[in-house]
Amino acid sequence: AGVSPFAELPGDIAVSFEFFPPKTEKMDAQLWDAITQLAPLSPSFVSVTYGAGGSTRERTHATVARIARETDLRPAAHLTCVAASKAEIAEVADQYWQAGVRHIVALRGDPPPADGGTFVPHPEGYASAADLVAGLKAQHDFEISVAAYPEVHPEALSDQHDLDNLKRKLDAGATRAITQFFYSTDAYFRFLDKVLAAGIDAPILPGIMPVTNFAAIRRMSGNTEIPGWLETMFEGLDERPGPRALVAAVAAADLCRRLYEGGVRDFHFYTLNRAEQAYAVCQLLGVRPKEA
Ligand code: FAD
């Protein structure tokens, strides 16, 4: 009796961290502080996002190339189909290959807000992530990860279409999927059951997004269920960032603990370029820095 539910967690898990490319010098310093703090946890890879509308092409490349050059980490570059021809995407992919980057997170991408939220393929571009995966694979033998949606992509024609689409991406050469963030373990495990029933055996890493800003999460949630108990947990904290961050770490660690109990051993963290949350959650899961 009296033993913490975290006490039994031996740290036999793999973690990966996602960052976004910084816009300013101050944000750059914050990103590198986060990378430096999280690196000792030996992530299996770290990924860098690509801004909506393809707006961060140079910044994503510069960040990924610097990680490849200056650290022992294995960087993954996000790449989208938005506002680019196949030739332009091939050029970006070539630059990554030449910089020693071997892992791409291939996405369709979201359109710039000016386009009214509807994705319209570039006339000489890729129409979907599955097409992008095939194009990248034909070019270089990249390791490729793709997106998956436990609660179904908002544009999907049906649950089955969305699952078929994930299968197309894996059949085209991707070897791993990373999920959209979620807070309902039931939604994730129901999705895993369907994935397995569809004959997919690639790892489906849960994307863990600690709730650093509950109001923003509520706005961004799309199809993502925000359970009532989570809402209650963050009640009244919108204007209290300190307590909110502490509650967020506990809530994310508890989500991971329940996923661990269900057999999950591979976790992907949306860090938002801050180390504290991801580090605290890893600590509670039993992950410790490797001795240098
Ligand atoms: P796709 O897999 O192409 O699917 C999009 C939708 O279209 C799905 O509903 C699918 O079922 C449907 N669809 C696809 N092909 C067909 C077809 N032939 N017929 C009918 N329906 C079809 N966005 C960014 O801009 N930059 C990022 O760095 C970024 N990183 C992300 C990382 C992760 C882990 C995740 C989960 C998402 C990320 N996103 C990013 C968001 C992503 O770009 C959006 O969710 C986008 O709307 C869909 O991208 P996708 O790769 O899942 O598209």
Side-chain angles (χ1 to χ4, degrees):
V3 175
S4 157
F6 292 103
E8 305 287 323
L9 302 183
D12 57 338
I13 64 168
V15 296
S16 52
F17 301 117
E18 184 170 307
F19 302 100
F20 65 87
K23 268 198 187 122
T24 61
E25 261 176 48
K26 197 171 159 221
M27 288 166 81
D28 190 59
Q30 186 188 326
L31 165 70
W32 281 91
D33 176 59
I35 292 176
T36 308
Q37 288 194 56
L38 292 170
L41 299 179
S42 303
S44 35
F45 66 92
V46 297
S47 70
V48 181
T49 61
Y50 200 74
S55 56
T56 67
R57 185 181 306 183
E58 279 76 25
R59 281 187 279 129
T60 299
H61 189 274
T63 305
V64 172
R66 184 170 166 198
I67 293 172
R69 222 173 32 243
E70 296 182 13
T71 75
D72 294 332
L73 298 168
R74 299 180 60 223
H78 290 220
L79 192 54
T80 77
C81 311
V82 175
S85 68
K86 291 181 185 177
E88 284 164 340
I89 289 175
E91 203 182 309
V92 176
D94 261 338
Q95 286 168 359
Y96 279 126
W97 190 264
Q98 277 155 28
V101 177
R102 295 289 179 267
H103 184 175
I104 302 281
V105 182
L107 304 142
R108 187 197 69 181
D110 281 323
D115 285 9
T118 312
F119 176 80
V120 180
H122 183 284
E124 286 150 32
Y126 293 108
S128 72
D131 297 341
L132 173 61
V133 173
L136 290 169
K137 265 308 210 196
Q139 199 182 349
H140 294 293
D141 191 19
F142 282 115
E143 173 183 352
I144 298 183
S145 300
V146 291
Y149 302 87
E151 289 161 285
V152 185
H153 190 279
E155 290 167 47
L157 299 174
S158 68
D159 294 16
Q160 189 57 44
H161 261 93
D162 216 29
L163 200 56
D164 293 345
N165 179 56
L166 174 61
K167 194 161 186 334
R168 264 201 304 280
K169 295 193 276 193
L170 295 162
D171 288 345
T175 50
R176 168 194 304 103
I178 304 169
T179 77
Q180 178 62 286
F181 65 85
F182 60 89
Y183 299 103
S184 157
T185 48
D186 286 351
Y188 176 78
F189 286 123
R190 269 198 306 269
F191 178 64
L192 272 198
D193 287 345
K194 288 186 197 156
V195 161
L196 283 174
I200 295 170
D201 57 7
I204 313 286
L205 274 53
I208 307 297
M209 173 90 90
V211 183
T212 40
N213 182 341
F214 197 76
I217 293 281
R218 216 189 279 115
R219 266 199 316 277
M220 288 174 0
S221 59
N223 281 359
T224 303
E225 182 199 341
I226 310 280
W229 56 262
L230 191 68
E231 187 103 27
T232 307
M233 222 181 210
F234 285 92
E235 215 168 59
L237 294 184
D238 283 357
E239 307 301 326
R240 296 178 187 276
R244 195 173 67 220
L246 297 170
V247 172
V250 173
D254 191 51
L255 176 67
C256 293
R257 183 186 62 78
R258 284 177 289 127
L259 292 170
Y260 184 95
E261 275 175 4
V264 177
R265 295 292 181 272
D266 216 335
F267 296 83
H268 183 77
F269 292 95
Y270 295 108
T271 70
L272 304 178
N273 294 2
R274 294 186 180 277
E276 287 79 8
Q277 298 283 335
Y279 199 102
V281 175
C282 288
Q283 173 80 15
L284 288 170
L285 294 176
V287 179
R288 296 288 183 273
K290 299 263 183 320
E291 297 296 328

